[in-house]
């Protein structure tokens, strides 16, 4: 059985202070186990990654806004996300797991929307929740009716492997984890090429996240800097940042969030660009300005 490692229990503040109203555009909430039962067949669980711990993390980092992304651990049961949003308050939004459309009714979807959920995430195949055919189309119709965005998690070897069904959508699309390109391949990487191609469409956005797993060189992940530059050059007003805390399915020790934000400051030393990624862009995409 694969052993997945827990998050760093002692996060530190970044060396460069974050601008006011900075947003963590992807983090997960899990546990406690006695309150939120794990779905049968779940790939992982991390019962200590509670909303209380997440909010303490954000206070340490200087983050005022965030997006709770429903983990596959609970499937269509979004109680952990609903309770997390209620505790976090109006500066937080949610992103549902797309499994909810197959298992829950419109009343439940409206409950999610009223709580602050504004998107639905389609996870990679290895996590056990997927859609195809007519079910996929019905799901997209319901997402469109709610006014939500679609979030796409790349396969481990890159988003080029699973992006085809989402390429021509007429609703906002957020690509996770920079599309998970291979830094060693540079501009020849098929996933980076695909993300850059899709960013020519005004409805496609990309998240700077999973730096530690995208990197082939290891800390301080300097091989990922050129990828960040390419994405910012392609769509400076459609790039956001997410911690991916508590770093699920990590077979190596997850990074300290202070180090991740130090990487971002090093990759984007320009204050205006960093403000766009951390404040202005997520405010617009997730509806904080509204």
């Amino acid at each position: 059985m694969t052993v997945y490692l827990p998050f760093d229990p002692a996060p530190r503040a970044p060396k460069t202070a974050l601008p006011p109203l900075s947003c963590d555009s992807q983090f997960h909430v899990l546990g406690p186990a006695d309150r939120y039962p794990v779905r049968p067949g779940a790939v992982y669980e991390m019962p200590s990654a509670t909303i209380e711990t997440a909010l303490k993390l954000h206070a340490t980092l200087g983050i005022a806004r965030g997006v709770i992304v429903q983990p596959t651990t609970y499937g269509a049961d979004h109680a952990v996300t609903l309770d997390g949003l209620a505790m976090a308050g109006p500066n937080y939004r949610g992103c549902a797991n797309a499994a909810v459309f197959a298992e829950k009714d419109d009343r439940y979807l409206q409950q999610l929307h009223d709580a602050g959920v504004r998107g639905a995430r389609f996870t990679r195949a290895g996590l056990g929740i997927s859609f195809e055919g007519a079910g996929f189309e019905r799901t997209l119709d319901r997402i469109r009716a709610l006014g939500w965005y679609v979030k796409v998690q790349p396969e481990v070897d890159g988003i080029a492997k699973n992006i085809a069904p989402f390429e021509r959508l007429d609703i906002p699309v957020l690509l996770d984890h920079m599309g998970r390109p291979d830094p060693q391949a540079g501009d020849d990487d098929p996933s980076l090429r695909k993300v850059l191609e899709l960013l020519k469409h005004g409805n496609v956005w990309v998240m700077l996240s999973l730096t530690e797993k995208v990197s082939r060189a290891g800390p301080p992940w300097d091989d990922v800097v050129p990828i960040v530059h390419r994405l910012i050059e392609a769509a400076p007003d459609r790039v956001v940042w997410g911690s991916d805390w508590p770093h699920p399915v990590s077979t190596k020790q997850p990074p300290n969030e202070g180090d991740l934000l130090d990487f971002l400051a090093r990759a984007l030393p320009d204050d205006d660009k960093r403000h766009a990624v951390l404040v202005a862009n997520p405010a617009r995409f997730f509806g904080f300005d509204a």
Side-chain angles (χ1 to χ4, degrees), residues 11 16 30 62 69 78 85 106 130 176 181 208 238 250 255 258 265 273 277 288:
T16 302
L30 298 102
V69 178
H78 284 64
L85 288 170
D106 289 341
S130 61
D176 280 354
L208 306 179
R238 282 179 281 120
S250 292
K273 290 180 179 178
V277 169
F288 291 116

Side-chain angles (χ1 to χ4, degrees), residues 9 15 20 25-26 29 31 33 43 65 76 108 125 145 152-153 171 177 210 212 242 251 280 287:
K15 295 175 182 176
S25 297
Q26 174 166 306
V29 174
V43 173
R65 292 169 169 171
Y108 192 85
V152 185
Q153 182 183 27
I171 53 181
H177 307 332
L210 214 71
E212 74 280 7
T251 55

